[in-house]
Amino acid sequence: MSILLEVIATTVADARLAAQAGADRIELVTAMGEGGLTPSVGLIEAVVAAVEIPVNVIVRPHSRSFTYDSDDYAVMLRDVRAVRAAGANGIVIGMLNGDGEIDRDGLERAIDAADGLAITFHRAFDETRDLQKALDVLLGFDAVTNVLTSGGQASVLNAEDTIRELVQQARGSHCTVLAGAGLTVDAIEGFVTRTKVDAVHFGSGVRVGGSGLAAVDIAKVAQVRTFLNNAIE
């Protein structure tokens, strides 16, 4: 079984190109320059209709922080329900408390609103004070199927040891460590070999000119897909 490839899409065209090139799953976002915010319902519906592969949608109301007040949660829970109604596969969400730890109550509310959708806990995880402890918390939530992480670094390529440890910690559980942020076509082979990851996440690394604001580069996605198909876990 090859390693799962998730690609960020910000448009319908992005999603189509990623799917054609062999991506296994889409993460749909808007405002990629701000780290990704909740896309419109119209975009969600259009992307779900345009591709056969699963579409996971980020639910993030603003880019100020990952600590949310009651109004933020009211918005996020509405968005979670809207994502579900639009036919998406899952949500990508994350929340912390004032102590830099996972907000368990907030996550529980999001899971309830998701009502069976797949849950990816996003890179808010990387801002927790103790990544191993945070992963243990997430392993306690059966609904959380992925943790998107760069190992606490700006680029996951600078956190190979941490990623390898997290992969080992999650091995055999319901939750997959999804390694992303900073991955490139050239670096993927060595990274996968050394970390033993089961899933990778690409944004700017498979875009024209390596720019997060550019379109998906179908040739780059295809290159990554070919390598992952041949990689031995």
Side-chain angles (χ1 to χ4, degrees), residues 1 6 39 56 58 65 109 126 136 140 142 145 149 152 222:
M1 182 174 161
E6 179 178 277
N56 288 354
I58 195 167
S65 75
R109 291 168 69 194
D126 290 317
D136 269 338
D142 289 343
T145 52
T149 177

Side-chain angles (χ1 to χ4, degrees), residues 9-18 28 42-51:
T10 62
T11 65
V12 177
D14 276 354
R16 283 203 178 104
L17 289 169
L28 185 62
L43 180 58
I44 299 166
E45 291 175 345
V47 169
V48 168
V51 298

Side-chain angles (χ1 to χ4, degrees), residues 3-4 14-15 18 21-22 25 28 56 60 71 73 79 83 88 96 102 106 137 145 155 165 167 207 230:
I3 295 163
L4 183 140
D14 276 354
R25 189 171 65 216
L28 185 62
N56 288 354
R60 186 176 173 220
D71 291 324
Y73 272 111
D79 281 337
V83 169
L96 306 178
I102 289 167
V137 170
T145 52
S155 170
E165 291 166 4
V167 167
R207 289 182 140 69
N230 297 327

Side-chain angles (χ1 to χ4, degrees), residues 98-204:
D99 296 323
E101 297 174 340
I102 289 167
D103 181 347
R104 300 177 195 225
D105 292 339
L107 179 56
E108 191 66 63
R109 291 168 69 194
I111 290 169
D112 287 345
D115 196 18
L117 290 185
I119 309 285
T120 296
F121 196 94
H122 65 43
R123 289 185 61 216
F125 176 83
D126 290 317
E127 296 193 12
T128 60
R129 294 191 297 180
D130 183 325
L131 297 184
Q132 276 75 23
K133 180 180 175 184
L135 182 54
D136 269 338
V137 170
L138 294 176
L139 291 175
F141 288 88
D142 289 343
V144 177
T145 52
N146 294 276
V147 180
L148 174 60
T149 177
S150 60
Q153 300 294 320
S155 170
V156 73
L157 299 177
N158 297 325
E160 289 186 353
D161 290 346
T162 301
I163 293 295
R164 184 168 57 250
E165 291 166 4
L166 292 171
V167 167
Q168 290 171 351
Q169 186 178 343
R171 188 76 76 197
S173 75
H174 55 84
C175 187
T176 299
V177 172
L178 176 61
L183 284 177
T184 63
V185 175
D186 292 340
I188 187 64
E189 183 173 359
F191 177 81
V192 166
T193 300
R194 290 186 290 271
T195 60
K196 312 299 183 190
V197 290
D198 299 309
V200 292
H201 168 95
F202 273 83
S204 56

